[in-house]
Amino acid sequence: QVQLVESGGGPVQAGGSLRLSCAASGLASYYMGWFRQAPGKEREGVATIDTRSGSTYYSNSVKDRFTVSLDNAKHTLYLQMNGLKPEDSAVYYCAARSTPLWGRDPLGGTAYGYWGQGTQVTVSS
């Protein structure tokens, strides 16, 4: 059974850092990534990675502040978040796709079929 379990969220002051983790099991993925959703807002693609080539993709709002990485030996995806802002507050979800994208947007949520339960990140000013 496919399972994605996020951890590492919590409260943090503006300008601080957090490192999110996603432990994956029962899945051979081609793409994995992080998405977030704040109350009353649409789901947003944050950062994704091609698990075979290592190519990464970031939303403009987090570029140069967040870094996505994958430890294949540990089957764990990470999101290092630096310089956090109040607008980064949201529930962060880990997602995976089991086939190549074949031209689809790597930051588009509809391209991913497997999702974790989410972890809350709250940034205070």
Side-chain angles (χ1 to χ4, degrees):
Q1 186 175 33
V2 174
Q3 189 171 25
L4 302 172
V5 181
E6 304 97 332
S7 62
V12 63
Q13 296 180 20
S17 299
L18 284 175
R19 189 190 191 195
L20 306 184
S21 299
C22 172
S25 62
L27 175 68
S29 63
Y30 282 80
Y31 278 79
M32 295 186 70
W34 295 94
F35 295 77
R36 66 187 182 187
Q37 188 165 25
K41 296 184 178 180
E42 297 293 323
R43 180 179 57 194
E44 175 189 15
V46 176
T48 59
I49 185 169
D50 181 327
T51 65
R52 309 307 171 92
S53 71
S55 297
T56 56
Y57 308 86
Y58 296 92
S59 69
N60 290 331
S61 62
V62 307
K63 195 173 184 179
D64 299 323
R65 296 190 296 121
F66 293 8
T67 302
V68 64
S69 61
L70 177 67
D71 187 331
N72 281 305
K74 295 183 178 180
H75 308 290
T76 301
L77 183 74
Y78 300 98
L79 183 66
Q80 179 66 48
M81 305 186 294
N82 299 324
L84 284 163
K85 305 174 181 180
E87 52 262 45
D88 293 319
S89 296
V91 176
Y92 283 71
Y93 298 92
C94 177
R97 177 183 171 90
S98 61
T99 61
L101 285 176
W102 299 118
R104 298 185 69 174
D105 182 4
L107 290 170
T110 58
Y112 297 81
Y114 303 97
W115 297 84
Q117 83 288 349
T119 184
Q120 177 72 52
V121 172
T122 303
V123 185
S124 60
S125 59

